[in-house]
Amino acid sequence: MRYGWVLVAMLIVTGCNSTSDQWKSTSPSFQSRFEQAKAICRGRSANNFASANGGLLTRAITSDEVFRGCMAEQGFVSK
């Protein structure tokens, strides 16, 4: 059952944050760095979704914030 929630979280986060045109890099090698950052941040976001308390909407919103914060830590900011 837990893996089902992780899958749902990954799909939600992927749908909200997967387009590369919404982000710009602070480093020179954009594409490889961006893909690595997305993978790291999706994992953190999915973990947050699976372990957070609250309803589905609350968990989705907090997971999106975790994703955005992680992307900022990785050197990417939203346009």
Side-chain angles (χ1 to χ4, degrees), residues 20-78:
S20 62
D21 61 343
Q22 294 178 355
W23 298 91
K24 66 179 182 178
S25 175
T26 57
S27 68
S29 58
F30 176 77
Q31 195 60 37
S32 62
R33 206 37 212 123
F34 180 73
E35 292 301 322
Q36 181 182 18
K38 277 196 322 186
I40 292 167
C41 295
R42 281 183 185 153
R44 287 185 190 175
S45 181
N47 186 40
N48 174 271
F49 186 87
S51 63
N53 293 327
L56 183 62
L57 182 60
T58 302
R59 293 177 356 184
I61 291 170
T62 58
S63 293
D64 186 54
E65 292 302 315
V66 167
F67 181 85
R68 290 177 183 275
C70 178
M71 288 297 283
E73 287 176 0
Q74 297 293 324
F76 293 88
V77 292
S78 184

